Amino acid sequence: MKKSVRYISAIAIAMMLAGSCNERDFLKQDDPNRVIENNFWKDENSISMALAAAYSPLRLPLYGYWGAFTGVQDINAMGDDVFTLPGEEPSTWAIASYTNDENNSDAADIFDRTYQCIHRCNLILARIDNIPMDAAKKEQYIAEAKFLRGLSYYILASNWGSVPVRTAPVETTNAYAAPCNSKEEVWAQVVSDLSAAKDKLPVIRDSKEKGRVTSGAAIAFLGKSYLFMEKYPEAEATLSLLSKAPYNYALVDNYEDNFTDANEFNTESIFEWNCAPLGDPYGPWGAETANSPMFNYLPQFIGPVAGGGWFKYVPSNYIVSEFIREERPKGSSTRFDKRMYASLMWKYSFFGETDNTWYNNKTFDELWNSSLLKIKRLYPDTKLDTTTNGRFLIKKYTGAWRKVADADNYWGATPSTANYRVMRFAEVLLLRAEAAARNGHTGPALDDINLIRKRAGLDPKTSAQLPGPDQLLAEIDHQKLLELFFEQNRIYDLRRWNKSAAQLQSLFRNRQKQGANTFAAKHYVLPIPARELNSNPKATQSELWR
C-alpha cells in the first residue's frame, strides 16, 4: 500500500538526530515545545519515529534524494555500461572520468549521509533498553536498527574500504575523533550487524509496513557481503536460505515489472524504497521535513528531452553489443533478449522489427533528435557508435512505459511514484551462481543462470556449453551486465573480477570507458573526503590515495 510510505517519510525528529554530535553541550534548558534528548525517548512510538529517521539518509547513497542525485547517478557513472554526458554536474563528471579527489562533493555527501544513518541507529540502540515495551517488539526494533547500520557499513566498505567504525552514538566533539579501521574490520562489522538482524526481523511485513526491511533483505545483503569478502562457501549457504521456507521469492514473469508501479512489492522484490504522491514534489533538495517529497525522480535525470527528462546518460557501445550478441530462438515474440526492450529504446526497424513509440506516441527519431544537442557533447572524446548497431537511449527507470506526455518531467502533471528496487531476487540468483561456481558446484550455478535466461526468453545453457568455473563465470558476468544494467552494481563487479589496475584499465580502454586513460589503482576506492579528515583528527587518508 502506498500509504505505508508514511512510515519512512514521518521524520519529525530527523533534524534532531542529524544535528551536531555535541548538541547537548549547547542545550542549557529544556523547551517544552521542542523535541530534544530529555523529552523525546519515552515509549515505543519514539523508537518507531527514530527508525523512520534512520531510513532517510540511506536514500542518498542507494538511490538518491530529491532529484535522484549521487547514488544512482555517480555509482552508475563509474561502470562500462553507460556514457555520462559531459557538461552536467562537475562532481559527477569527475567521478565518471576518474578525475575525482578528496574534495568531490558528491562522494562526500554519500559518506556523510551514511554516517548520519549510523549515528541515528547508534542512538536507537543506546536508548532502547531504557524504554518500556514488549520484549519481542524490542528485539525486532534492535534488529531493524542493526540492519540499517550494517547496510551503511556495507556501503562504506564497498566504496571506501578503510573507514572509522562507530557502534555508539557520538555525543561530544572529542568522541568524534576516531581512527580508520581496516577494511577487514569494517566488513566484520557488516557481517556482525546483518547476522544479528536476520534472525529477529520478520519474514514479511503487513500492508502498513511495506518498505521496512525484512529478514530476507538481511540475508541477501549478508550473502552479498560474504561474496565481496571472497568467503564463497558462506555466501552460497547464506543466499540459498532465500530459496527455502519460509521464503517465497521468485522471478516475476515480466522483467519490466521491476521498474514500474504496476507490480510493486512483488515476489522478486527483497528490498525497495517506497515512493508515493506525498509531500511537496518540488520541495528543497535533500530536505528532511514532514513535507519532504516522496516521488521517484529518476526519470527526470535519465529520460530524453522529448519525454521531459534532463537526459544525463546514453547506453555505452559495449552494453549495446552485449545485448544484441545473442538472439532469441526462431519464432519468438522478439528478436532479442526481453530485457533489452525494457532497458533500452531504439529504432526497431533497424533490426527488421516493427517500430515502437513511447510517451505520448513519440517515435524514436523524435526522442533522439530532441536530445541530439546533448549527445553531441560526447564528441570527440567519447566515440558513441551510432552506425554499427544504430542509436540507443536508456528506457529503464524512465517513464517511457507510461505512454503519457512529459512523463519524465517532475514539473509535469503526473510525476512518477514507481518504487525503486534496491535488492531483487534475480540478483540473489546471480550472486549465488557466482559463489557456487567458485565453490566448484557447477550444477547449482548452471541452474541459477538458466532461471535468469529463461525469464529473458533465451535458451538454457547446457553443462557441455558451460563445463567449468571459467565458462560459468563468463556467463555470469554477461548475465549480470544485462540483468542488472544501470542498477548500481557494475563497478563493484569490475573491481572484484579485475584485481590488477592495469588489467582493469585495459578493459576500460577496450570498452571505451570515459576516463580509462586516467584510471589508476587508487580508483578501486573513493578517497576519504577532505571534510572528514579536517573534522576527525585521527582519520587518515586511504593508503591508495596518499
Side-chain angles (χ1 to χ4, degrees), residues 326-336 453 456-460:
E326 181 181 4
E327 296 188 17
R328 295 182 63 198
K330 294 292 184 182
S332 297
S333 58
T334 60
R335 180 175 177 180
F336 298 111
R453 289 180 60 85
L458 303 174
D459 282 338

Side-chain angles (χ1 to χ4, degrees), residues 173-248:
T173 301
N174 290 338
Y176 186 80
C180 292
N181 293 75
S182 68
K183 178 178 69 174
E184 292 74 19
E185 289 171 328
V186 182
W187 279 116
Q189 185 62 46
V190 174
V191 169
S192 175
D193 279 340
L194 296 179
S195 296
K198 72 180 178 64
D199 294 327
K200 300 299 182 181
L201 286 170
V203 173
I204 59 173
R205 294 279 188 176
D206 66 32
S207 59
K208 294 180 180 179
E209 294 184 335
K210 292 292 188 182
R212 295 175 66 175
V213 295
T214 62
S215 59
I219 290 169
F221 278 102
L222 178 60
K224 187 173 184 178
S225 299
Y226 279 136
L227 191 72
F228 279 24
M229 297 166 71
E230 299 185 358
K231 295 186 174 183
Y232 302 119
E234 293 91 337
E236 184 179 4
T238 300
L239 295 166
S240 292
L241 295 174
L242 297 179
S243 295
K244 306 172 184 176
Y247 302 101
N248 294 295

Side-chain angles (χ1 to χ4, degrees), residues 224-469:
K224 187 173 184 178
S225 299
Y226 279 136
L227 191 72
F228 279 24
M229 297 166 71
E230 299 185 358
K231 295 186 174 183
Y232 302 119
E234 293 91 337
E236 184 179 4
T238 300
L239 295 166
S240 292
L241 295 174
L242 297 179
S243 295
K244 306 172 184 176
Y247 302 101
N248 294 295
Y249 295 114
L251 300 180
V252 294
D253 292 336
N254 181 11
Y255 173 77
E256 194 167 19
D257 278 359
N258 294 300
F259 314 105
T260 74
D261 63 7
N263 190 10
E264 295 172 334
F265 296 111
N266 57 52
T267 58
E268 189 169 339
S269 178
I270 295 177
F271 183 33
E272 62 187 79
W273 292 129
N274 204 338
C275 300
L278 296 172
D280 176 9
Y282 320 119
W285 296 77
E288 289 190 313
T289 69
N291 203 34
S292 292
M294 299 303 295
F295 295 81
N296 185 335
Y297 292 100
L298 284 175
Q300 180 71 74
F301 276 71
I302 300 166
V305 174
W310 286 339
F311 187 62
K312 296 178 182 289
Y313 313 89
V314 291
S316 70
N317 302 330
Y318 177 65
I319 188 69
V320 170
S321 67
E322 288 294 290
F323 260 123
I324 68 171
R325 87 178 200 194
E326 181 181 4
E327 296 188 17
R328 295 182 63 198
K330 294 292 184 182
S332 297
S333 58
T334 60
R335 180 175 177 180
F336 298 111
D337 189 318
K338 290 180 181 180
R339 296 169 296 189
M340 183 172 170
Y341 298 82
S343 301
L344 307 177
M345 295 181 285
W346 69 98
K347 193 165 185 172
Y348 291 2
S349 58
F350 189 92
F351 292 103
E353 295 184 292
T354 302
D355 281 329
N356 193 21
T357 60
W358 296 271
Y359 301 98
N360 189 26
N361 294 319
K362 290 191 179 295
T363 66
F364 179 80
D365 286 338
E366 289 177 298
L367 299 179
W368 181 267
N369 291 335
S370 74
S371 306
L372 195 53
L373 287 177
K374 282 197 166 187
I375 292 169
K376 287 180 177 179
R377 295 183 198 164
L378 291 167
Y379 302 96
D381 295 329
T382 302
K383 304 297 191 296
L384 178 65
D385 182 355
T386 61
T387 57
T388 303
N389 297 311
R391 303 162 296 166
F392 288 81
L393 299 171
I394 296 175
K395 181 184 180 187
K396 183 184 279 190
Y397 295 131
T398 72
W401 60 275
R402 297 167 63 199
K403 298 292 185 181
V404 297
D406 222 24
D408 294 335
N409 188 353
Y410 72 81
W411 297 105
T414 55
S416 175
T417 60
N419 290 356
Y420 179 74
R421 281 66 163 182
V422 179
M423 174 64 73
R424 299 191 284 117
F425 188 59
E427 182 179 355
V428 167
L429 292 174
L430 289 167
L431 292 169
R432 185 173 66 177
E434 180 183 346
R438 295 187 184 279
N439 291 330
H441 301 155
T442 57
L446 185 60
D447 289 343
D448 284 343
I449 289 170
N450 282 333
L451 285 173
I452 298 294
R453 289 180 60 85
K454 180 181 179 182
R455 201 258 299 270
L458 303 174
D459 282 338
K461 290 288 187 179
T462 66
S463 57
Q465 292 171 308
L466 305 177

Side-chain angles (χ1 to χ4, degrees), residues 26-37:
F26 300 99
L27 299 177
K28 304 303 182 184
Q29 59 185 1
D30 291 348
D31 179 351
N33 299 312
R34 181 183 177 192
V35 176
I36 60 173
E37 176 76 9

